[in-house]
Amino acid sequence: MQLEVLAGNNSLVTMLVENGLRFNVDLATVYWNSKLATERQRLLGGFNFKDVVCDVFAGVGPISIPAAKIVKRVYANDLNPYAVDYLERNSVLNKLEKKIEVFNMDGRRFIDAMFASQKAHKITQVVMNLPNDATEFLDAFRGIYRDRPEDVKFTFPKTHVYGFSKARDPEFDFHERIRIALAEVAVNVEMRRVRLVAPGKWMLCASFVLPESVAFARRSPNT
């Protein structure tokens, strides 16, 4: 975000505290939204100690770091190298670095890498909190298990995708975009309105278990 310092030293570096955890951020280079604190707590409330979480667009760690206090393991990724730097610092600051593995990759490459690795069968939750663009990365899940040996035990992760909609029926609109991105006729989705971000514009969260038919699908030529 474009911010201007009105008083004090000419710096946008600060420390934020959310639910007892500390986060160092530089608001000139990374993103933070305290208005999403309640939504983050709601999401985290659905995790347990057996979960392994992939946070595709992790930022400085507002979901990954508190998740690490709950779950077995977190794989946290962001394309922004400044965000990754602060994510690593904040992991250490909160003494959770041993439970978080950090990556600096494009979201699609991260999904491919995770599910092509030995980590794949352990992943139970995927978080995609990039409301402007998250649905555009869903096609990366098509065929993630297609070339895996048949005797391997597969986990179909619960995926939480955030997005915006200005449609008259935002839930239907967002559901359709998810279905089209996955190239799937029917996807059983739990839909929730997170907040009204502007007149007529909703932020939503869609949660669904990745369909087996998508995980074993033939990949499209452009993925």
Side-chain angles (χ1 to χ4, degrees), residues 151-165:
D151 58 346
V152 173
K153 182 180 179 181
F154 296 99
T155 299
F156 299 96
K158 188 165 188 179
T159 306
H160 311 273
V161 185
Y162 288 85
F164 295 127
S165 178

Side-chain angles (χ1 to χ4, degrees), residues 78-92:
D78 205 276
L79 181 62
N80 180 353
Y82 298 104
V84 168
D85 180 41
Y86 277 99
L87 173 56
E88 290 176 332
R89 292 192 209 181
N90 292 330
S91 300
V92 174

Side-chain angles (χ1 to χ4, degrees), residues 90-183:
N90 292 330
S91 300
V92 174
L93 179 64
N94 291 284
K95 300 180 180 179
L96 290 164
E97 70 275 14
K98 292 182 179 179
K99 294 184 69 177
I100 302 175
E101 188 172 348
V102 178
F103 299 82
N104 179 203
M105 303 170 72
D106 167 76
R108 184 171 280 102
R109 285 186 57 225
F110 174 68
I111 293 167
D112 286 343
M114 287 295 100
F115 286 94
S117 72
Q118 295 302 312
K119 301 178 177 71
H121 70 282
K122 298 178 182 178
I123 297 167
T124 59
Q125 306 273 355
V126 176
V127 181
M128 302 179 72
N129 186 11
L130 189 68
N132 273 325
D133 304 306
T135 55
E136 296 180 14
F137 292 82
L138 285 173
D139 64 309
F141 288 101
R142 285 190 59 79
I144 55 171
Y145 290 151
R146 185 170 183 268
D147 299 321
R148 304 302 286 266
E150 293 183 1
D151 58 346
V152 173
K153 182 180 179 181
F154 296 99
T155 299
F156 299 96
K158 188 165 188 179
T159 306
H160 311 273
V161 185
Y162 288 85
F164 295 127
S165 178
K166 294 181 178 179
R168 184 184 298 273
D169 186 342
E171 288 86 355
F172 177 81
D173 171 58
F174 194 36
H175 191 172
E176 279 295 284
R177 283 154 52 200
I178 291 167
R179 187 187 63 76
I180 291 167
L182 292 172

Side-chain angles (χ1 to χ4, degrees), residues 39-50:
E39 172 59 19
R40 288 191 278 265
Q41 283 301 106
R42 183 202 66 82
L43 179 68
L44 293 163
F47 297 167
N48 65 56
F49 70 97
K50 294 181 181 180

